């Protein structure tokens, strides 16, 4: 099935300058410019995927293609990288948009709040107001999705799926107790060795190493993974992670309550970032909400091997919403 998806589904990989930051965007489907598309089948809805951390959108390519296929190719599916988590290959053109409303105005764009503003700027600049939105957030992308609902009520979001949502008590989670000291106290000690070891490598060597790594994980991708070995990107990954540990503490119950009818939460039974007790607390606090528990024990990083299962589930959950479009 995956090989068929890879061969048949049109995917455009773009590198754009959003708020001054290089940003990798994967676009599944024939629609790459929603403003200037004059075709008869111009889509009325966009499915927008916000990644976890690391925010390498290339890892989400198989999930995006599987979801596009599961939706019968009716709607475009786009994946956006985080600001500072993508570097364009030397032979790749970086697209700019003179209408970017926040071109040079985001402070601390690589931090958590800056990443929220980065996604908002993209949606306002690249998606027409009449196009409805389904937002899918994975991991910290779920937190960003909630912030978008909170700060941009004008966006026509009809549904938001929060997959393995890290929206509270990150540093208290089993994984957080281990990672927090590394990200908050020791990450600076890794910066210099990272630059000294990785920066001198030629792009061809990095590409070879990445292909070998993907082969070991039984993964294939036609998209750029160079950012995985770019010190600049890895520093920003660590910086964002440190802010997550410090800032994602208390669940935003007010925003959840206000938008509960649009939200679907999907927790894992074996997730060390948002353990089962977080799911149980959510069910207790929001008994009327659409709050689900993964019965198949998918890992937090489901994207690496279970993308078709997740795509089929999301497509099934969306049936009622899409029947009204």
């Amino acid at each position: 099935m995956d090989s068929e998806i890879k061969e048949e589904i049109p995917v455009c990989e773009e590198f754009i300058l959003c708020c001054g930051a290089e940003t990798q965007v994967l676009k599944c489907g024939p629609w790459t410019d929603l403003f200037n598309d004059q075709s008869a089948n111009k889509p009325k809805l966009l499915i927008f995927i916000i990644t976890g951390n690391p925010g390498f959108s290339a890892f989400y390519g198989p999930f995006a293609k599987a979801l596009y296929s599961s939706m019968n190719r009716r709607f475009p599916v786009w994946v956006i990288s985080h600001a500072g988590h993508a570097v364009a290959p030397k032979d790749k053109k970086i697209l700019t948009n003179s209408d970017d409303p926040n071109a040079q105005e985001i402070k601390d764009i690589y931090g958590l709040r800056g990443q929220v503003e980065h996604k908002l700027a993209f949606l306002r600049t690249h998606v027409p107001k009449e196009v409805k939105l389904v937002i899918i957030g994975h991991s910290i992308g779920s937190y960003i999705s909630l912030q978008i609902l909170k700060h941009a009520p004008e966006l026509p979001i009809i549904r938001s799926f929060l997959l393995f949502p890290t929206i509270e008590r990150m540093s208290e989670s089993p994984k957080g107790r281990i990672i927090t000291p590394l990200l908050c106290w020791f990450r600076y000690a890794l910066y210099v060795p990272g630059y000294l070891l990785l920066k001198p490598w030629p792009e061809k060597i990095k590409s070879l190493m990445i292909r070998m790594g993907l082969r070991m994980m039984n993964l294939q991708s036609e998209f750029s993974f160079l950012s995985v070995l770019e010190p600049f990107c890895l520093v920003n990954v660590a910086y964002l992670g440190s802010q997550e540990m410090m800032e994602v503490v208390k669940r935003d119950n007010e925003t959840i309550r206000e938008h509960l009818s649009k939200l679907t939460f999907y927790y894992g039974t074996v997730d060390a970032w948002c353990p089962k007790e977080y799911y149980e607390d959510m069910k207790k606090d929001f008994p009327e909400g659409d709050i689900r528990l993964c019965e198949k024990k998918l890992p937090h990083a489901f994207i690496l091997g279970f993308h078709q299962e997740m795509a089929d589930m999301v497509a099934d959950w969306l049936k009622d919403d899409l029947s009204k479009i």
Side-chain angles (χ1 to χ4, degrees), residues 90 197-213 225-226 228-230:
K90 293 179 181 178
L197 289 173
L198 296 176
K199 193 64 177 177
W201 288 11
E203 196 168 284
K204 289 183 179 180
I205 298 297
K206 291 179 181 178
S207 296
L208 176 62
M209 296 295 292
I210 290 169
R211 285 198 300 270
M212 291 172 60
F225 274 89
L226 282 176
V228 174
L229 291 180
E230 282 296 331

Side-chain angles (χ1 to χ4, degrees), residues 48-51 116 119 135-151 157 160-163 167 255 259 263:
F48 189 67
I49 300 174
I50 303 176
T51 72
V116 174
K119 310 306 176 291
I135 295 185
I136 299 175
H138 171 234
S139 193
I140 197 60
S142 298
Y143 175 90
I144 295 173
S145 299
L146 283 178
Q147 291 296 303
I148 288 174
L149 286 169
K150 179 177 182 178
H151 294 288
I157 299 171
S160 186
F161 295 98
L162 311 185
L163 308 179
I167 57 174
T255 297
H259 299 282
L263 294 169

Side-chain angles (χ1 to χ4, degrees), residues 13-295:
E13 179 190 38
E14 294 181 351
F15 283 86
I16 67 169
L17 204 62
C18 182
C19 306
E22 289 183 26
T23 305
Q24 185 185 32
V25 183
L26 304 183
K27 299 180 176 182
C28 291
W31 312 279
T32 59
D33 185 346
L34 297 181
F35 277 99
N36 297 313
D37 189 335
Q38 302 299 326
S39 63
N41 65 338
K42 182 178 179 179
K44 298 179 180 179
L45 177 138
L46 168 67
I47 300 174
F48 189 67
I49 300 174
I50 303 176
T51 72
N53 186 18
F56 303 139
S57 53
F59 278 120
Y60 292 75
F63 174 58
K65 290 192 288 185
L67 182 57
Y68 178 72
S69 179
S70 296
M71 302 296 298
N72 297 319
R73 308 185 179 209
R74 291 178 58 199
F75 308 107
V77 180
W78 292 4
V79 189
I80 188 171
S81 72
H82 292 319
H85 292 207
V87 174
K90 293 179 181 178
D91 61 347
K92 194 78 173 180
K93 182 181 179 181
I94 300 174
L95 306 177
T96 58
N97 190 327
S98 59
D99 297 327
D100 189 338
N102 297 304
Q104 300 295 334
E105 298 179 8
I106 293 182
K107 296 180 180 179
D108 193 21
I109 190 172
Y110 305 135
L112 187 54
R113 177 59 194 162
Q115 298 290 358
V116 174
E117 294 185 26
H118 172 257
K119 310 306 176 291
L120 284 172
F122 178 88
L123 289 171
R124 288 166 174 160
T125 306
H126 294 270
V127 184
K129 294 179 180 179
E130 67 272 14
V131 175
K132 292 180 171 57
L133 290 165
V134 170
I135 295 185
I136 299 175
H138 171 234
S139 193
I140 197 60
S142 298
Y143 175 90
I144 295 173
S145 299
L146 283 178
Q147 291 296 303
I148 288 174
L149 286 169
K150 179 177 182 178
H151 294 288
E154 76 281 3
L155 292 177
I157 299 171
I158 65 169
R159 198 77 182 163
S160 186
F161 295 98
L162 311 185
L163 308 179
F164 301 85
T166 52
I167 57 174
E168 61 174 308
R169 295 177 281 175
M170 284 194 68
S171 64
E172 298 177 25
S173 68
K175 209 65 171 288
R177 287 194 292 268
I178 298 171
I179 298 297
T180 298
L182 296 175
L183 291 177
C184 296
W185 303 336
F186 301 123
R187 77 175 192 274
Y188 300 104
L190 302 176
Y191 287 174
V192 173
Y195 270 94
L196 290 177
L197 289 173
L198 296 176
K199 193 64 177 177
W201 288 11
E203 196 168 284
K204 289 183 179 180
I205 298 297
K206 291 179 181 178
S207 296
L208 176 62
M209 296 295 292
I210 290 169
R211 285 198 300 270
M212 291 172 60
L214 292 174
R215 196 175 299 119
M216 290 174 62
M217 293 186 291
N218 197 28
L219 293 173
Q220 294 181 346
S221 179
E222 65 271 38
F223 312 118
S224 173
F225 274 89
L226 282 176
S227 302
V228 174
L229 291 180
E230 282 296 331
F232 169 76
C233 298
L234 296 177
V235 164
N236 290 325
V237 167
Y239 176 60
L240 176 59
S242 68
Q243 289 209 341
E244 292 172 34
M245 298 306 114
M246 293 185 291
E247 297 185 23
V248 184
V249 179
K250 186 178 179 181
R251 189 203 312 143
D252 188 352
N253 288 340
E254 183 178 346
T255 297
I256 292 172
R257 189 172 293 109
E258 181 179 352
H259 299 282
L260 191 60
S261 62
K262 298 179 180 179
L263 294 169
T264 293
F265 297 84
Y266 191 68
Y267 285 86
T269 52
V270 291
D271 192 342
W273 280 113
C274 39
K276 189 177 177 181
E277 66 184 85
Y278 291 12
Y279 157 80
E280 294 168 347
D281 291 343
M282 278 289 296
K283 289 287 286 185
K284 179 180 178 182
D285 293 343
F286 298 98
E288 71 279 24
D290 186 8
I291 302 162
R292 305 168 185 244
L293 186 66
C294 174
E295 298 177 353

